[in-house]
Amino acid sequence: MNRRGFLQLIGATGAAALTSSCNRFTSVAGTISSPANLARFPDKTEMILLTDRAPQLETPLHYFRQDLTPNEAFFVRWHLEGVPTSVDLRTFRLAVSGHVRQPLQLSVGDLRSQFEPISIIAVNQCSGNSRSFFEPRVPGGQWKHGAVGNAKWTGVPLKSILNRANVRSGAVDVSFNGLDAPPLPSVADFVKSLSIDHARDGEVMVAYAMNDQLLPMLNGFPLRLVVPGWYGTYWVKALSDITVLPHVFSNFWTDKAYRIPNGPNGTESPQHLANDTVPINRFNVRSIFVRPELDEALHPGISTEMEGIAFDSGYGIRRVEVSTDGGATWADARLDPDMGKYSWRRWRAAWTPRSRGAYRLMARATNAVGDTQSEHQWNRSGFMWNVIQQLDVKVA
Amino acid sequence: MTPKPTGVVLLFALAAFLVGCGSSSHVVKEGDHEANARMESMRDFQPDISVHTIVMPHDEPVFPPGPGRDEFVTACVVCHSPRYITLQPRFSRTTWMDEVHKMKDVYGAHITDDQVLKITDYLVSINGTADAAHARKHARYGE
């Protein structure tokens, strides 16, 4: 190898060097019940640590000042202890099988070279994002608002892959499995499914790139299912198996987990838990304050720009209103240019506080079909939080 | 670049060294956008690297002594770290017992009936409320 080749090599592995951590991570010890830990994981920058094994990492709020969430700061959520840590692209294959005439074994290179690529900017949000705000509190990952991100996903429409496999008539569901494996034989493997019509809608995608880069291992390298407008539980990471089924798919992760009350906005009351539940599906409409942050200095008579993000399942954000007096009066925020119907949309509103004191800021998004945010919401699993955010700030 | 066999060996050796532990001194501070941008540009697609490996960090859990600690370590930590407990708010005994039953009956943890009570004792002792005001009749499933 010549010198130039060696330097290229350093460049190539430098990526791993910059982002990998030592096999002991640095974390600031939190107290029981109030962990405020930050940690660095491989390929990732310093993030809010929920759990280390399986890893759940939350994006610090300031990253949402960027329209596309950097890969190294994109939230991480795995279910099972057996997270994939090594992938050999020479032997990795995406298998397409089941109710098809032409089973497939596709390498990542095949996907890149044999199919027409598409790109789509889409929000991915964990079903349990903002769970820690439910009252009464519910068990589960105690996310604040950072289990969400917006990225440009590039890959192959699932429809193209299914067409290549020549799906037989009578197909009902398509299931998706990844390289992650359960820690015990008695624990159900993480497999999710979509209806055949949804799978063939031309938007559901097998992505091999995220913001024009490889996916970080913890975000699903080398392939990830992208299901625009739907909760992250369907975005199967390290996707390795697609199975077309002539019947309804059934397993723990669809029959018992990730279900919501079959009522308006997935809401129930602690005293009357819903008996009728359905699998979680599309995002509801919500907005999140990005600025001011809670530790930001605010002064009377000095203008500050409030800023946030709003998104829904793809109808598009039509309006965001902001209140600086706890909801007594509302004013329209300005919307940044539309980046696509599955992207989040940035909003901004100038505010000049008149005097010192405590203020309650609120933001309320409405989408193109008139859906807006909740006043109150609760369910036993802590899913789909979209209560109008109240941000209590001090002007000094 | 198509590395020759010696190059491949060197590549993996170097990657192994860097991924292993030799490189954790560079810390990207919050707001260090220039460093983030540099890192981004370096992480562009590198088609010549065909094996991607990460080493997961290990956090030595500090867990207080208490009744049922041994049962907790035996039955629970095989699948997940103790942070799954310490990240939660304080819950009532009923809620914690629901969680243990959920792990046993729904998720498939190897927990005996005798261990259910001992593990619940431990969870309540380290992260429980005194009262059972939030007692619930039904387990909650999924996350």
Side-chain angles (χ1 to χ4, degrees):
Chain A
M1 175 183 292
N2 61 24
R3 181 172 173 274
R4 181 183 164 83
F6 182 75
L7 289 176
Q8 284 175 332
L9 200 97
I10 297 285
T13 50
L18 279 177
T19 53
S20 74
S21 62
C22 191
N23 62 357
R24 170 182 284 277
F25 58 76
T26 320
S27 66
V28 183
T31 56
I32 285 175
S33 291
S34 62
N37 300 341
L38 294 171
R40 287 176 60 88
F41 273 64
D43 293 348
K44 307 299 289 182
T45 190
E46 199 166 60
M47 296 181 72
I48 300 163
L49 175 68
L50 271 68
T51 57
D52 52 324
R53 186 172 60 86
Q56 300 187 82
L57 309 172
E58 176 164 350
T59 304
L61 188 66
H62 70 85
Y63 284 103
F64 297 156
R65 296 178 190 183
Q66 301 176 52
D67 286 329
L68 297 180
T69 312
N71 290 5
E72 67 270 19
F74 210 94
F75 81 94
V76 169
R77 193 270 187 265
W78 290 85
H79 298 83
L80 302 174
E81 153 80 12
V83 172
T85 55
S86 185
V87 176
D88 185 342
L89 293 181
R90 297 168 301 188
T91 56
F92 174 87
R93 296 292 181 274
L94 172 63
V96 185
S97 64
H99 200 59
V100 298
R101 290 196 174 79
Q102 181 57 60
L104 305 174
Q105 294 275 339
L106 300 166
S107 70
V108 175
D110 294 338
L111 288 170
R112 286 179 171 273
S113 63
Q114 298 175 12
F115 293 86
E116 194 64 35
I118 58 168
S119 288
I120 189 164
I121 296 175
V123 169
N124 180 15
Q125 179 181 222
C126 179
S127 306
N129 192 24
S130 312
R131 178 180 287 124
S132 62
F133 297 97
F134 281 97
E135 275 299 335
R137 298 286 296 269
V138 293
Q142 299 298 319
W143 304 99
K144 293 189 169 59
H145 300 307
V148 61
N150 195 37
K152 175 190 169 192
W153 309 93
T154 302
V156 178
L158 179 58
K159 179 184 182 178
S160 305
I161 297 170
L162 293 175
N163 286 348
R164 170 87 59 100
N166 201 352
V167 173
R168 292 176 187 274
S169 66
V172 174
D173 277 353
V174 183
S175 70
F176 305 92
N177 193 8
L179 295 176
D180 50 336
L184 298 171
S186 54
V187 175
D189 195 7
F190 185 77
V191 183
K192 297 295 288 190
S193 70
L194 299 174
S195 73
I196 184 70
D197 289 345
H198 190 182
R200 284 198 290 211
D201 73 357
E203 295 184 320
V204 175
M205 178 200 310
V206 175
Y208 47 69
M210 177 178 175
N211 295 328
D212 298 319
Q213 303 158 29
L214 296 176
L215 283 75
M217 188 78 81
L218 291 177
N219 292 105
F221 179 84
L223 301 173
R224 178 169 204 173
L225 193 69
V226 168
V227 189
W230 284 51
Y231 282 97
T233 182
Y234 295 97
W235 299 45
V236 172
K237 296 181 289 298
L239 178 66
S240 57
D241 290 275
I242 297 174
T243 308
V244 180
L245 301 166
H247 53 79
V248 173
F249 178 72
S250 172
N251 83 343
F252 166 75
W253 296 101
T254 57
D255 300 348
K256 291 185 174 168
Y258 286 108
R259 296 183 73 87
I260 55 169
N262 187 15
N265 209 30
T267 288
E268 62 189 340
S269 83
Q271 292 76 31
H272 304 284
L273 296 179
N275 290 321
D276 185 16
T277 63
V278 295
I280 195 167
N281 46 83
R282 300 168 69 125
F283 297 150
N284 51 17
V285 58
R286 70 172 301 187
S287 61
I288 298 171
F289 270 98
V290 175
R291 292 187 69 182
E293 290 208 48
L294 288 176
D295 57 354
E296 210 165 319
L298 301 168
H299 304 292
I302 296 178
S303 176
T304 186
E305 182 159 79
M306 298 182 289
E307 177 186 333
I309 49 177
F311 60 92
D312 74 337
S313 66
Y315 297 107
I317 295 299
R318 187 181 66 196
R319 183 182 198 191
V320 176
E321 300 156 280
V322 178
S323 172
T324 57
D325 53 14
T329 61
W330 295 84
D332 280 322
R334 308 187 309 280
L335 299 181
D336 271 13
D338 189 350
M339 295 172 59
K341 63 180 185 172
Y342 295 115
S343 168
W344 62 35
R345 188 136 185 209
R346 191 166 303 278
W347 54 264
R348 303 168 195 273
W351 176 44
T352 306
R354 289 194 182 154
S355 55
R356 290 185 173 81
Y359 290 81
R360 172 165 288 178
L361 312 182
M362 297 168 71
R364 177 173 67 195
T366 304
N367 72 2
V369 294
D371 295 334
T372 188
Q373 297 188 241
S374 314
E375 303 274 349
H376 178 74
Q377 180 191 29
W378 189 88
N379 58 66
R380 78 197 86 167
S381 302
F383 289 151
M384 297 177 68
W385 172 265
N386 78 337
V387 171
I388 298 164
Q389 191 181 353
Q390 299 184 347
L391 192 66
D392 291 326
V393 297
K394 282 213 170 69
V395 174
Chain B
M1 165 178 91
T2 308
K4 295 184 178 67
T6 50
V8 173
V9 171
L10 184 58
L11 174 77
F12 294 145
L14 185 60
F17 169 72
L18 292 171
V19 169
C21 215
S23 60
S24 56
S25 60
H26 181 96
V27 175
V28 178
K29 296 186 185 69
E30 287 190 15
D32 189 351
H33 298 302
E34 202 176 311
N36 285 343
R38 279 200 305 276
M39 194 156 74
E40 293 244 340
S41 69
M42 294 181 74
R43 301 197 65 256
D44 285 347
F45 184 58
Q46 298 287 344
D48 294 331
I49 300 180
S50 44
V51 181
H52 291 248
T53 301
I54 60 171
V55 177
M56 292 294 284
H58 173 66
D59 184 39
E60 195 63 46
V62 178
F63 236 43
R69 186 182 188 278
D70 289 348
E71 286 77 7
F72 175 83
V73 169
T74 303
C76 307
V77 178
V78 62
C79 287
H80 61 79
S81 69
R83 281 179 191 271
Y84 273 70
I85 312 306
T86 56
L87 107 122
Q88 306 297 332
R90 293 187 180 276
F91 284 125
S92 67
R93 182 178 181 83
T94 309
T95 299
W96 279 127
M97 190 172 283
D98 282 352
E99 289 298 300
V100 178
H101 273 296
K102 183 177 75 180
M103 293 298 145
K104 172 180 178 288
D105 301 334
V106 183
Y107 278 83
H110 294 178
I111 301 174
T112 64
D113 289 339
D114 182 49
Q115 287 174 321
V116 167
L117 292 173
K118 289 179 175 169
I119 291 168
T120 302
D121 286 344
Y122 185 64
L123 301 182
V124 170
S125 79
I126 64 161
N127 205 15
T129 54
D131 66 303
H134 300 301
R136 294 173 304 136
K137 288 180 179 149
H138 303 275
R140 168 201 149 273
Y141 298 135
E143 300 204 11

